[in-house]
Amino acid sequence: MTRIGFIGLGNMGGPMAAKLARAGHTVQVFDLVAQNIERAIADGCIAAGDAREAVTGCEVVISMLPAGEHVRALWLGESAGERGGLDLLAALPVGALVIDCSTIDVDSARQVGNVARARGLRFIDAPVSGGVAGAAAGTLTFIVGGDAADFEAAKPLLACMGQNLFHAGALGAGQIAKMCNNMLLAIHMAGTAEALALGVKEGLDPAVLSTIMGKSSGNNWSLERYNPWPGVMENVPAARNYQGGFMTRLMVKDLGLAMALAEHAHSAVPMGALARNLFNLHAAQGQGSRDFSSIVELYLDKQGPA
């Protein structure tokens, strides 16, 4: 079994670390939130006093952090010109494998990866898709950028946490593919919410309408697996007041990354830009910490669903 350091135990990272521990690996964890560490201990992980202790003696280190600035500060520290950073790469032995599962900007992923390689380490960017439910069930999709050999080395561990493992290409390719995916997710979630709201306002039952569209050409993942309308589907955020899912503010962050990528590529993304505006508006109305499927409330009267 492998000794793994795991840093970042939020809604996604916590269940991922637990899956590795349950598979028999030794998982040393650290997070800035004490409650997250307590949950990880209950799931069979070993608590570390800080990030440096979490990676001590580890062959593989996995990070799951909110944004590129956090990833750079953790792995590069002062060498990246960020005060208070850890430069954690310096604590790893030559040949260690770093798997960053954060969804971040491409430049940050490539910067950390290139420094890691220069120091004799292996690095892949491996953002995930599948949400909190996928993390808990171990059914995530991993979208990997980096050397093919490093992807192959990581596959047994990724398979403990996910079902679909894709090598998207060179370093940074995982982030590019993830941005494209999440932009499309935002577009079809907003469209699904809009269509359901229209039907309900004209007297249709949302469950019946969802079934009809699910068996017709309008079917999509948001409708079939993550329905945004309360009362239509169990075990989704809409069934629990949009708590415990993928927060709206994180979708806004991901759409911002997609817009920056589109600008770099000189690519027209009018639907993506509209989706970003809608989710920005929703977050600005105080909904940033609720699941992104709560975007349906933009289309409803103030009293909410009938």
Side-chain angles (χ1 to χ4, degrees), residues 26-157:
T26 300
V27 186
Q28 300 175 177
V29 300
F30 178 72
D31 191 272
L32 294 176
V33 179
Q35 186 178 2
N36 291 347
I37 296 177
E38 291 170 6
R39 280 198 296 264
I41 293 172
D43 288 327
C45 300
I46 301 170
D50 56 30
R52 191 171 294 274
E53 182 181 334
V55 307
T56 300
C58 293
E59 308 158 61
V60 179
V61 180
I62 300 172
S63 54
M64 176 61 101
L65 302 174
E69 62 192 83
H70 305 108
V71 173
R72 295 193 309 272
L74 177 74
W75 291 114
L76 303 181
E78 294 296 334
S79 67
E82 303 205 14
R83 294 181 180 180
L86 292 176
D87 191 12
L88 207 58
L89 292 178
L92 299 180
V94 171
L97 174 62
V98 177
I99 304 173
D100 181 48
C101 294
S102 316
T103 297
I104 59 175
D105 60 285
V106 178
D107 286 346
S108 290
R110 288 173 175 165
Q111 182 181 4
V112 176
N114 287 330
V115 173
R117 290 173 174 179
R119 296 184 180 184
L121 305 171
R122 296 176 292 167
F123 180 94
I124 58 173
D125 58 291
V128 303
S129 180
V132 176
T139 58
L140 291 172
T141 294
F142 284 86
I143 310 165
V144 177
D147 288 347
D150 295 339
F151 170 62
E152 291 298 324
K155 281 175 71 173
L157 298 180

Side-chain angles (χ1 to χ4, degrees), residues 5-296:
F6 203 112
I7 300 170
L9 303 170
N11 288 339
M12 297 294 292
M16 291 165 64
K19 286 294 180 184
L20 291 167
R22 289 170 188 159
H25 299 290
T26 300
V27 186
Q28 300 175 177
V29 300
F30 178 72
D31 191 272
L32 294 176
V33 179
Q35 186 178 2
N36 291 347
I37 296 177
E38 291 170 6
R39 280 198 296 264
I41 293 172
D43 288 327
C45 300
I46 301 170
D50 56 30
R52 191 171 294 274
E53 182 181 334
V55 307
T56 300
C58 293
E59 308 158 61
V60 179
V61 180
I62 300 172
S63 54
M64 176 61 101
L65 302 174
E69 62 192 83
H70 305 108
V71 173
R72 295 193 309 272
L74 177 74
W75 291 114
L76 303 181
E78 294 296 334
S79 67
E82 303 205 14
R83 294 181 180 180
L86 292 176
D87 191 12
L88 207 58
L89 292 178
L92 299 180
V94 171
L97 174 62
V98 177
I99 304 173
D100 181 48
C101 294
S102 316
T103 297
I104 59 175
D105 60 285
V106 178
D107 286 346
S108 290
R110 288 173 175 165
Q111 182 181 4
V112 176
N114 287 330
V115 173
R117 290 173 174 179
R119 296 184 180 184
L121 305 171
R122 296 176 292 167
F123 180 94
I124 58 173
D125 58 291
V128 303
S129 180
V132 176
T139 58
L140 291 172
T141 294
F142 284 86
I143 310 165
V144 177
D147 288 347
D150 295 339
F151 170 62
E152 291 298 324
K155 281 175 71 173
L157 298 180
L158 300 182
C160 295
M161 303 177 283
Q163 288 184 340
N164 303 299
L165 314 178
F166 296 105
H167 184 219
L171 191 63
Q175 301 298 341
I176 296 171
K178 175 65 186 294
M179 290 173 206
C180 294
N181 178 80
N182 275 25
M183 184 177 73
L184 179 58
L185 170 61
I187 292 167
H188 63 62
M189 177 59 79
T192 296
E194 187 174 302
L196 286 170
L198 174 61
V200 170
K201 286 179 178 180
E202 285 297 311
L204 296 185
D205 182 310
V208 172
L209 179 56
S210 293
T211 299
I212 292 169
M213 294 193 297
K215 298 298 182 181
S216 305
S217 56
N219 191 32
N220 64 76
W221 186 88
S222 293
L223 180 70
E224 184 179 25
R225 303 284 297 278
Y226 211 88
N227 197 292
W229 200 275
V232 171
M233 187 176 291
E234 297 180 354
N235 300 318
V236 295
R240 48 181 185 269
N241 195 30
Y242 304 103
Q243 300 301 312
F246 182 57
M247 290 186 288
T248 296
R249 64 177 176 83
L250 294 180
M251 177 56 85
V252 171
K253 181 207 78 170
D254 287 0
L255 287 167
L257 294 174
M259 295 305 102
L261 185 67
E263 183 176 357
H264 179 268
H266 303 292
S267 180
V269 287
M271 295 296 289
L274 178 56
R276 185 194 187 194
N277 287 340
L278 289 170
F279 282 98
N280 259 327
L281 174 62
H282 191 49
Q285 293 178 344
Q287 308 304 314
S289 63
R290 300 174 79 203
D291 182 76
F292 81 109
S293 62
S294 64
I295 192 75
V296 72

